[in-house]
């Protein structure tokens, strides 16, 4: 059978305001504002070991809130991922000793997303492309590619490729005084890395190399 699941969601609101309560006093009647929003999630089992997830404007309304944490050192708190789109087969995005090259909670307000996880060509693979906002409210395109393979029974080798592209316009401009400015901002950031894990007996050795 075809392993396919499609889930739709919709949220709507209607706000009616009595205009007579606002100045000037001759305003009468009711003012209506409507807001409709819909989303779509698709889960496709391409093979028994490879799954494709696609989402458009996902609905995260049923996700429970994060527990309160007190931060006294000023460092960024690590919050566990609770959104279903990121949690599906998420173990491949984790590093055994707690390193987090990719932290999905920095992605807000997802517009579209595509995710491929599973096993292919004798190794675990994961690919992720998401269009959404970052913590600063800028529209960004996030991309992650991760592989993990067992060289021997005790040795595991993983590779990373992470990219973030700013979708907002970063064009050259001239101000009102006629002064020309050349935007030199780098609108794309890359991270490439390798993780190696070796476990002989009760010992565990990890190596991380990121650029």
């Amino acid at each position: 059978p075809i392993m396919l699941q499609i889930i739709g969601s919709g949220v709507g609101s209607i706000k009616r305001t009595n205009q007579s309560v606002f100045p000037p006093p001759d305003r009468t009647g009711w003012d209506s504002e409507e807001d409709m929003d819909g989303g779509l999630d698709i889960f496709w089992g391409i093979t028994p070991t490879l799954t494709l997830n696609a989402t458009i404007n996902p609905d995260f309304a049923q996700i429970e809130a994060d527990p309160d944490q007190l931060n006294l050192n000023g460092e960024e708190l690590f919050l566990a991922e609770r959104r279903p789109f990121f949690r599906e087969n998420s173990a491949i995005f984790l590093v055994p000793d707690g390193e987090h090259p990719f932290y999905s909670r920095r992605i807000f307000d997802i517009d579209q997303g595509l995710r491929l996880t599973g096993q292919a060509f004798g190794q675990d693979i994961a690919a992720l492309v998401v269009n959404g906002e970052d913590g600063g409210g800028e529209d960004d395109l996030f991309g992650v590619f991760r592989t993990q393979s067992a060289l021997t029974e005790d040795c595991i080798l993983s590779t990373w490729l992470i990219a973030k592209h700013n979708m907002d316009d970063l064009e050259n401009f001239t101000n009102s005084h006629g002064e020309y400015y050349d935007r030199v901002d780098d609108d794309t950031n890359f991270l490439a890395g390798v993780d190696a894990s070796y476990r002989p007996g009760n010992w565990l050795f990890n190596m991380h190399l990121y650029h």
Side-chain angles (χ1 to χ4, degrees):
I2 299 177
M3 295 177 289
L4 181 65
Q5 185 179 30
I6 301 175
I7 302 175
S9 61
V11 178
S13 66
I14 299 177
K15 178 182 178 181
R16 300 192 68 205
T17 305
N18 189 347
Q19 297 297 306
S20 62
V21 301
F22 299 103
D26 57 348
R27 298 179 64 180
T28 60
W30 292 82
D31 181 51
S32 297
E33 296 180 9
E34 295 83 17
D35 185 17
M36 300 295 295
D37 205 1
L40 184 68
D41 292 283
I42 300 175
F43 304 88
W44 177 28
I46 302 176
T47 68
T49 59
L50 197 62
T51 304
L52 178 68
N53 297 1
T55 185
I56 300 175
N57 194 22
D59 176 25
F60 298 139
Q62 301 299 320
I63 300 175
E64 59 188 59
D66 295 305
D68 292 334
Q69 298 186 48
L70 183 62
N71 185 1
L72 298 177
N73 56 19
E75 297 182 359
E76 183 181 27
L77 293 174
F78 180 80
L79 302 175
E81 184 58 77
R82 299 172 182 271
R83 296 170 291 184
F85 177 75
F86 292 105
R87 291 189 61 178
E88 186 76 18
N89 297 331
S90 61
I92 191 173
F93 291 107
L94 302 178
V95 179
D97 60 357
E99 293 289 336
H100 301 288
F102 172 65
Y103 183 31
S104 59
R105 291 297 297 267
R106 293 197 182 102
I107 305 176
F108 297 85
D109 194 16
I110 301 173
D111 294 324
Q112 303 93 23
L114 196 65
R115 195 167 184 268
L116 182 68
T117 55
Q119 294 181 333
F121 310 108
Q123 59 185 349
D124 296 331
I125 65 171
L128 174 71
V129 179
V130 174
N131 181 20
E133 291 186 1
D134 62 10
E138 295 184 342
D139 189 21
D140 292 323
L141 184 66
F142 300 85
V144 183
F145 181 71
R146 166 93 155 145
T147 66
Q148 183 172 286
S149 57
L151 301 182
T152 65
E153 185 177 348
D154 300 325
C155 184
I156 298 176
L157 180 67
S158 305
T159 61
W160 286 95
L161 180 60
I162 305 175
K164 172 187 170 185
H165 177 72
N166 191 321
M167 303 292 288
D168 293 331
D169 292 334
L170 295 176
E171 299 178 352
N172 302 333
F173 66 96
T174 303
N175 64 12
S176 58
H177 300 287
E179 298 171 327
Y180 178 80
Y181 286 86
D182 185 6
R183 293 298 296 266
V184 296
D185 305 57
D186 185 2
D187 58 357
T188 304
N189 293 325
F190 290 97
L191 181 144
V194 175
D195 298 319
S197 176
Y198 178 57
R199 185 187 294 273
N202 294 327
W203 292 84
L204 174 62
F205 299 92
N206 289 317
M207 181 197 73
H208 310 290
L209 184 62
Y210 300 137
H211 177 69

